Amino acid sequence: MSNVKVFRLAYADFNVINAERMVEYYTNVMGYRISEEQRGVTYLSNGLDHHNIVITPAETKAVRRYGYQLDGKLSLEEVQKQLHVQGIASTLKSDAKPGISSNLEIKDPAGNILELFTEMEQPAVGFGTSGIVPLKLGHIAFYAKNFKETINFYRDALGFNFTDKIGESFANFLTCNSDHHVLNIVASNETRLHHIAFQLKDASHQYASSDVLTKNNIPVLWGPSRHTAGHNIATYHHDPDKNVVELFIDLDVFIPELGIFEPRPWHEELPLKPQIWESLSAWGTEFEMDLASV
Ligand SMILES: [Fe+2]
């Protein structure tokens, strides 16, 4: 265990095949604003931060980097020392990305590259005035090889809490703040994105988001339905690179001091504690797309 504490997922940096269409999707459909373009790379903001989504043109699609913000109680040098004690190699970098003057690059056991930082520029480009305009980037779900080691890595090295599971090894939910999950790690023999999720304001926002998607010829593939683990009401669609994107409301709020979720009228039991769930939908709804294997 260490004192290293991540407290939020700040950005996902995508390698994309259809860069122009992805930027068009994030600006016109998702309502993000561009904060900077540099050498063909586009930095998009969810209002305050320099970037929350990065679009990097590439030949194959992948998540290039995940950006996590540390609580700032330790300097990056101190974080590096603590990780080193646990046998985790890291590289301290200066100006590796616009908006972040220094970061610590590490690799998780699944092979994802993480950029840990304490401060990001906050130019406050504001929220878009058309399109979906999420409240924030909420969570990432990814397929992981070495998934048990990967779960332990996030919990023991970066200070995440384990919340729920679906099945013994399918979905494993971890959080670094009060959101039910910031990460969902899915057992696999390969490492790749399962989905990226954005938080919306309320039910009317979620209905409006489906209308925006439809107007842009993007079908809703799953949902709206309420999940079991997390109890978020979710819809899923594809971005132009065929990454699965979730839009959600009503995500459970975790209280680590009590080991329970804040009570809600739709909870199956009170108090609701982390547990193993069997199915995906609390409403029992089924959709054509099988979320278990996207
Ligand atoms: Fe999700």
Side-chain angles (χ1 to χ4, degrees), residues 124-141:
V125 296
F127 287 84
T129 51
S130 64
I132 292 169
V133 194
L135 296 186
K136 70 171 184 184
L137 167 61
H139 62 264
I140 291 283

Side-chain angles (χ1 to χ4, degrees), residues 139-141 173 181 184 194-197 227 232 234 236 246 248:
H139 62 264
I140 291 283
F173 298 92
H181 58 283
N184 173 3
H194 185 283
H195 67 267
I196 181 168
H227 278 305
N232 38 323
Y236 294 81
E246 175 190 350
F248 70 88

Side-chain angles (χ1 to χ4, degrees), residues 13-17 58 60-65 193 241 243:
D13 176 347
F14 283 94
N15 270 341
V16 308
I17 303 166
T60 51
K61 69 168 184 174
V63 179
R64 204 177 148 260
R65 300 278 197 276
L193 185 71
D241 254 13
N243 298 301

Side-chain angles (χ1 to χ4, degrees), residues 23-92:
V23 171
E24 195 270 333
Y25 162 83
Y26 268 105
T27 50
N28 292 342
V29 179
M30 291 295 277
Y32 268 54
R33 284 191 165 162
I34 296 172
S35 58
E36 190 167 343
E37 288 172 290
Q38 204 187 90
R39 293 188 219 103
V41 180
T42 306
Y43 298 84
L44 296 125
S45 173
N46 203 136
L48 176 63
D49 297 318
H50 181 275
H51 56 267
N52 305 103
I53 294 290
V54 182
I55 303 291
T56 304
E59 305 227 318
T60 51
K61 69 168 184 174
V63 179
R64 204 177 148 260
R65 300 278 197 276
Y66 293 106
Y68 288 97
Q69 189 163 8
L70 294 155
D71 66 4
K73 288 181 183 156
L74 302 174
S75 68
L76 289 180
E77 289 80 4
E78 288 168 331
V79 170
Q80 185 168 40
K81 270 187 207 154
Q82 291 222 7
L83 293 175
H84 180 73
V85 170
Q86 297 173 79
I88 299 164
S90 62
T91 312
L92 200 52

Side-chain angles (χ1 to χ4, degrees), residues 249-267:
I249 59 170
D250 269 0
L251 186 67
D252 279 339
V253 175
F254 186 53
I255 312 173
E257 291 82 357
L258 300 176
I260 65 168
F261 300 102
E262 269 186 17
R264 294 286 182 265
W266 45 85
H267 282 171

Side-chain angles (χ1 to χ4, degrees), residues 77-259:
E77 289 80 4
E78 288 168 331
V79 170
Q80 185 168 40
K81 270 187 207 154
Q82 291 222 7
L83 293 175
H84 180 73
V85 170
Q86 297 173 79
I88 299 164
S90 62
T91 312
L92 200 52
K93 294 192 167 180
S94 294
D95 299 317
K97 257 192 172 60
I100 300 176
S101 59
S102 54
N103 69 33
L104 199 58
E105 191 176 293
I106 58 173
K107 204 182 252 192
D108 73 18
N112 294 303
I113 300 173
L114 316 185
E115 293 174 338
L116 308 178
F117 65 92
T118 54
E119 281 178 54
M120 178 171 7
E121 282 173 26
Q122 296 184 317
V125 296
F127 287 84
T129 51
S130 64
I132 292 169
V133 194
L135 296 186
K136 70 171 184 184
L137 167 61
H139 62 264
I140 291 283
F142 64 88
Y143 287 110
K145 57 185 178 188
N146 304 322
F147 100 109
K148 280 192 178 153
E149 294 90 328
T150 305
I151 291 165
N152 292 342
F153 169 88
Y154 283 96
R155 203 183 45 194
D156 300 339
L158 299 181
F160 279 69
N161 280 307
F162 205 98
T163 52
D164 280 332
K165 284 182 180 203
I166 299 177
E168 262 308 328
S169 63
F170 169 57
N172 294 267
F173 298 92
L174 294 148
T175 186
C176 58
N177 51 46
S178 62
D179 289 347
H180 173 275
H181 58 283
V182 173
L183 279 180
N184 173 3
I185 301 176
V186 183
S188 179
N189 53 15
E190 59 171 347
T191 296
R192 65 177 174 88
L193 185 71
H194 185 283
H195 67 267
I196 181 168
F198 297 88
Q199 185 184 343
L200 304 182
K201 187 177 61 171
D202 55 18
S204 72
H205 192 191
Q206 194 158 47
Y207 288 132
S209 74
S210 291
D211 286 336
V212 171
L213 293 172
T214 304
K215 280 203 172 127
N216 285 277
N217 301 312
I218 301 171
V220 174
L221 303 168
W222 194 100
S225 187
R226 188 185 292 288
H227 278 305
T228 50
H231 290 89
N232 38 323
I233 297 180
T235 62
Y236 294 81
H237 66 274
H238 277 143
D239 71 18
D241 254 13
K242 290 264 186 270
N243 298 301
V244 177
V245 180
E246 175 190 350
L247 301 172
F248 70 88
I249 59 170
D250 269 0
L251 186 67
D252 279 339
V253 175
F254 186 53
I255 312 173
E257 291 82 357
L258 300 176

